[in-house]
Amino acid sequence: MKPAILFFAAALTATFPVHGQIASSPQPSVLFVIVDDLNCRIACYGDPVAHTPHLDRLAARGILFDRAYCNFPLCNPTRSSVLSGQYPTTTGVLDNKTWLVPPEGHPTLPQHFQQHGYARAEFGKIWHEPGNNGEIDPANPPEPRSRFPWYNPSQRAEQQRTQPDFWTVAENYDHYRADPPPPSMIEALRRGPNVFGPVPAGRGTPDITHADKAIEFLENHDASAQPFFLAVGFQKPHVPLKAPQEFFDLYEAAELPLPPDFANKPTLPGGVSPLNTRRNLDLYADRDFTAAEARAALRAYYACVSYMDAQLGRVLHALEASGQADNTLIVLWGDHGWHLSEKGFFAKGTLFEVAIRSPLIIVDPRREASAGRVCRRVVQFVDIYPTLADLAGLPLPPALEGVSLRPLLDNPDAAWDRPAFTVQSRGWSLGRRIRTERWAYSEWDGSSEGAMLFDHDADPHEIRNLAADPAHANALATLQEQLRTSPVGRSAGDAD
């Protein structure tokens, strides 16, 4: 799917009053960067292989959140959640073909800043589908580019109530909710997204264009007259894993280490529900792969991350050249994690740690004392909206479900006892996960059958499932109670 380039000309040319700050302390601008399918294999997160100098430089200026979790490991639901400030179970966006329809009067994150006098610009993949920006008329939505229909959350809830076999119908097929895929789709994936390697000399990818547009905006907008909310969405390292040769030259496939839980096909720990698995479709579609093939794909992923890092560097340089860096909040996040042969997956869309943990870096140039520090508290992406609004001095819309991370930006070691909640759909089933500093627990449809419990102090790669171990029954019961009474404990489509 090609990302859209959106530009809000009216917002950029109008003159707005500046709210929330006195004239001697201008309201900060915001650079909001989303990276598609970016996991934590970057140097500032401790990866010994990755070449990511610009990400590392950004982390040195701000706070790196080491335990940051998406609320749904899939593009459309996670973006809809972050940009609305609500959990996926509240938005009703649980797949890649559901429109975001916020509650009446509730602004999306870019809207909120725009309504408070900010110039708004968006370049690249911010939303999952052009027009799916939380501002659609649900009775008359835009025409989707995919050949499969899209629905609004109310229609999805009605389908769940009245069509239990909806996902078994061929025309309703979805990569992440239905199985098996049509054979013709497997062949198309093998010919398209599965193909990776260097692009021909002289060719780039859309990320160059997205960076160019952002740079042009920074060079021409006078932030001293009107603060901006600039969103930039980089597509790489989303498949197909293609980038210029120079970025492949940074890595030798044979030298890349495989993860401790490497497998050559999807392989689950003992006692785990089969709902926790999925077919590989993004790479090596529906077939086993060798260790050498896994390393070749790893090389391509790293190359795409380094390529994206170079485009990020260009944007950061333009921000510095504009003279506005010292009054610009920066947030960079990967929309979710991504398996790179862990447990035999090359995929997102699972409830394992590697699919839901993703980078989150926040830079507030006014907080020099905490710059370059690492926060190891558990945070979640639904907190991004309230954090940015709080730091900019804007009121917090009452429908937000996250909290501001300001206390952790002031002191990354501050006491913090909020867990992270993540959900994942399979058909009409919904998996839910809670992550605390020590434990990760997940279950499907409110049942402990096939549950997963991992002790991250002893088992960071989630190899040994402790859900049936009597020694951990108390921990399991506590986590179950927290999860089932949490904001994600129920969703819009659940029966009463």
Side-chain angles (χ1 to χ4, degrees), residues 23-35:
S24 60
S25 179
Q27 201 161 12
S29 292
V30 178
L31 175 58
F32 183 80
V33 182
I34 310 175
V35 186

Side-chain angles (χ1 to χ4, degrees), residues 61 329 364-371 391 406 409-410:
R61 292 187 54 209
L329 304 170
D364 184 343
R366 301 166 298 187
R367 287 173 164 75
E368 294 183 2
S370 55
L391 294 178
R406 177 193 286 266
L409 292 169
D410 291 334

Side-chain angles (χ1 to χ4, degrees), residues 200-215:
R203 282 183 54 191
T205 78
D207 283 346
I208 289 179
T209 300
H210 307 331
D212 287 345
K213 294 290 186 180
I215 291 167

